PDB file of all heavy atoms in Angstrom:
ATOM      1  N   LEU A 169      10.823   5.804   9.204  1.00 88.00           N
ATOM      2  CA  LEU A 169      12.055   6.254   8.611  1.00 88.00           C
ATOM      3  C   LEU A 169      12.134   7.766   8.486  1.00 88.00           C
ATOM      4  O   LEU A 169      13.209   8.352   8.566  1.00 88.00           O
ATOM      5  CB  LEU A 169      12.201   5.624   7.209  1.00 88.00           C
ATOM      6  CG  LEU A 169      12.399   4.111   7.166  1.00 88.00           C
ATOM      7  CD1 LEU A 169      12.383   3.603   5.729  1.00 88.00           C
ATOM      8  CD2 LEU A 169      13.711   3.709   7.843  1.00 88.00           C
ATOM      9  N   ARG A 170      10.975   8.402   8.313  1.00 86.00           N
ATOM     10  CA  ARG A 170      10.972   9.871   8.118  1.00 86.00           C
ATOM     11  C   ARG A 170       9.598  10.391   8.553  1.00 86.00           C
ATOM     12  O   ARG A 170       8.654   9.646   8.795  1.00 86.00           O
ATOM     13  CB  ARG A 170      11.221  10.243   6.689  1.00 86.00           C
ATOM     14  CG  ARG A 170      10.215   9.749   5.703  1.00 86.00           C
ATOM     15  CD  ARG A 170      10.502  10.224   4.309  1.00 86.00           C
ATOM     16  NE  ARG A 170       9.490   9.844   3.339  1.00 86.00           N
ATOM     17  CZ  ARG A 170       9.468   8.714   2.666  1.00 86.00           C
ATOM     18  NH1 ARG A 170      10.431   7.839   2.868  1.00 86.00           N
ATOM     19  NH2 ARG A 170       8.497   8.436   1.818  1.00 86.00           N
ATOM     20  N   LYS A 171       9.513  11.687   8.654  1.00 86.00           N
ATOM     21  CA  LYS A 171       8.275  12.411   8.940  1.00 86.00           C
ATOM     22  C   LYS A 171       7.952  13.312   7.750  1.00 86.00           C
ATOM     23  O   LYS A 171       8.855  13.950   7.203  1.00 86.00           O
ATOM     24  CB  LYS A 171       8.394  13.212  10.223  1.00 86.00           C
ATOM     25  CG  LYS A 171       8.621  12.396  11.466  1.00 86.00           C
ATOM     26  CD  LYS A 171       8.668  13.278  12.696  1.00 86.00           C
ATOM     27  CE  LYS A 171       8.868  12.469  13.972  1.00 86.00           C
ATOM     28  NZ  LYS A 171       8.918  13.358  15.154  1.00 86.00           N
ATOM     29  N   PRO A 172       6.693  13.421   7.395  1.00 89.00           N
ATOM     30  CA  PRO A 172       5.540  12.702   7.929  1.00 89.00           C
ATOM     31  C   PRO A 172       5.504  11.278   7.428  1.00 89.00           C
ATOM     32  O   PRO A 172       6.180  10.926   6.441  1.00 89.00           O
ATOM     33  CB  PRO A 172       4.358  13.518   7.360  1.00 89.00           C
ATOM     34  CG  PRO A 172       4.859  14.088   6.072  1.00 89.00           C
ATOM     35  CD  PRO A 172       6.308  14.397   6.338  1.00 89.00           C
ATOM     36  N   GLN A 173       4.730  10.443   8.098  1.00 89.00           N
ATOM     37  CA  GLN A 173       4.638   9.051   7.727  1.00 89.00           C
ATOM     38  C   GLN A 173       3.968   8.898   6.394  1.00 89.00           C
ATOM     39  O   GLN A 173       2.926   9.510   6.150  1.00 89.00           O
ATOM     40  CB  GLN A 173       3.856   8.294   8.806  1.00 89.00           C
ATOM     41  CG  GLN A 173       3.743   6.809   8.555  1.00 89.00           C
ATOM     42  CD  GLN A 173       3.151   6.097   9.748  1.00 89.00           C
ATOM     43  OE1 GLN A 173       3.746   6.067  10.813  1.00 89.00           O
ATOM     44  NE2 GLN A 173       1.952   5.553   9.585  1.00 89.00           N
ATOM     45  N   PRO A 174       4.530   8.123   5.457  1.00 91.00           N
ATOM     46  CA  PRO A 174       3.914   7.975   4.135  1.00 91.00           C
ATOM     47  C   PRO A 174       2.507   7.410   4.216  1.00 91.00           C
ATOM     48  O   PRO A 174       2.196   6.583   5.090  1.00 91.00           O
ATOM     49  CB  PRO A 174       4.845   7.013   3.398  1.00 91.00           C
ATOM     50  CG  PRO A 174       6.171   7.120   4.120  1.00 91.00           C
ATOM     51  CD  PRO A 174       5.793   7.386   5.543  1.00 91.00           C
ATOM     52  N   HIS A 175       1.649   7.855   3.286  1.00 92.00           N
ATOM     53  CA  HIS A 175       0.271   7.392   3.262  1.00 92.00           C
ATOM     54  C   HIS A 175       0.200   5.885   2.970  1.00 92.00           C
ATOM     55  O   HIS A 175      -0.665   5.190   3.527  1.00 92.00           O
ATOM     56  CB  HIS A 175      -0.517   8.162   2.236  1.00 92.00           C
ATOM     57  CG  HIS A 175      -1.929   7.691   2.065  1.00 92.00           C
ATOM     58  ND1 HIS A 175      -2.878   7.805   3.042  1.00 92.00           N
ATOM     59  CD2 HIS A 175      -2.545   7.055   1.009  1.00 92.00           C
ATOM     60  CE1 HIS A 175      -4.029   7.256   2.640  1.00 92.00           C
ATOM     61  NE2 HIS A 175      -3.849   6.810   1.408  1.00 92.00           N
ATOM     62  N   THR A 176       1.082   5.387   2.092  1.00 91.00           N
ATOM     63  CA  THR A 176       1.057   3.964   1.796  1.00 91.00           C
ATOM     64  C   THR A 176       1.395   3.129   3.012  1.00 91.00           C
ATOM     65  O   THR A 176       0.808   2.028   3.196  1.00 91.00           O
ATOM     66  CB  THR A 176       2.073   3.676   0.680  1.00 91.00           C
ATOM     67  OG1 THR A 176       3.375   4.176   1.057  1.00 91.00           O
ATOM     68  CG2 THR A 176       1.663   4.337  -0.621  1.00 91.00           C
ATOM     69  N   LEU A 177       2.287   3.592   3.862  1.00 92.00           N
ATOM     70  CA  LEU A 177       2.627   2.854   5.081  1.00 92.00           C
ATOM     71  C   LEU A 177       1.439   2.819   6.020  1.00 92.00           C
ATOM     72  O   LEU A 177       1.121   1.801   6.601  1.00 92.00           O
ATOM     73  CB  LEU A 177       3.855   3.488   5.777  1.00 92.00           C
ATOM     74  CG  LEU A 177       4.271   2.881   7.094  1.00 92.00           C
ATOM     75  CD1 LEU A 177       4.649   1.418   6.926  1.00 92.00           C
ATOM     76  CD2 LEU A 177       5.446   3.642   7.707  1.00 92.00           C
ATOM     77  N   SER A 178       0.770   3.956   6.183  1.00 94.00           N
ATOM     78  CA  SER A 178      -0.421   4.009   7.053  1.00 94.00           C
ATOM     79  C   SER A 178      -1.496   3.097   6.534  1.00 94.00           C
ATOM     80  O   SER A 178      -2.194   2.408   7.316  1.00 94.00           O
ATOM     81  CB  SER A 178      -0.923   5.427   7.166  1.00 94.00           C
ATOM     82  OG  SER A 178       0.089   6.285   7.661  1.00 94.00           O
ATOM     83  N   ARG A 179      -1.690   3.088   5.217  1.00 95.00           N
ATOM     84  CA  ARG A 179      -2.727   2.234   4.648  1.00 95.00           C
ATOM     85  C   ARG A 179      -2.393   0.753   4.840  1.00 95.00           C
ATOM     86  O   ARG A 179      -3.295  -0.090   5.109  1.00 95.00           O
ATOM     87  CB  ARG A 179      -2.894   2.568   3.161  1.00 95.00           C
ATOM     88  CG  ARG A 179      -4.035   1.866   2.489  1.00 95.00           C
ATOM     89  CD  ARG A 179      -4.232   2.401   1.102  1.00 95.00           C
ATOM     90  NE  ARG A 179      -3.035   2.257   0.285  1.00 95.00           N
ATOM     91  CZ  ARG A 179      -2.880   2.689  -0.951  1.00 95.00           C
ATOM     92  NH1 ARG A 179      -3.910   3.300  -1.535  1.00 95.00           N
ATOM     93  NH2 ARG A 179      -1.787   2.515  -1.602  1.00 95.00           N
ATOM     94  N   MET A 180      -1.120   0.386   4.697  1.00 94.00           N
ATOM     95  CA  MET A 180      -0.724  -1.007   4.876  1.00 94.00           C
ATOM     96  C   MET A 180      -0.917  -1.432   6.341  1.00 94.00           C
ATOM     97  O   MET A 180      -1.428  -2.538   6.628  1.00 94.00           O
ATOM     98  CB  MET A 180       0.746  -1.170   4.441  1.00 94.00           C
ATOM     99  CG  MET A 180       1.259  -2.601   4.535  1.00 94.00           C
ATOM    100  SD  MET A 180       1.953  -3.021   6.171  1.00 94.00           S
ATOM    101  CE  MET A 180       3.273  -1.828   6.277  1.00 94.00           C
TER     102      MET A 180
END
Side-chain angles (χ1 to χ4, degrees):
L169 294 174
R170 63 177 184 272
K171 295 182 179 180
Q173 182 171 295
H175 175 67
T176 55
L177 177 60
S178 301
R179 187 172 57 183
M180 182 272 298

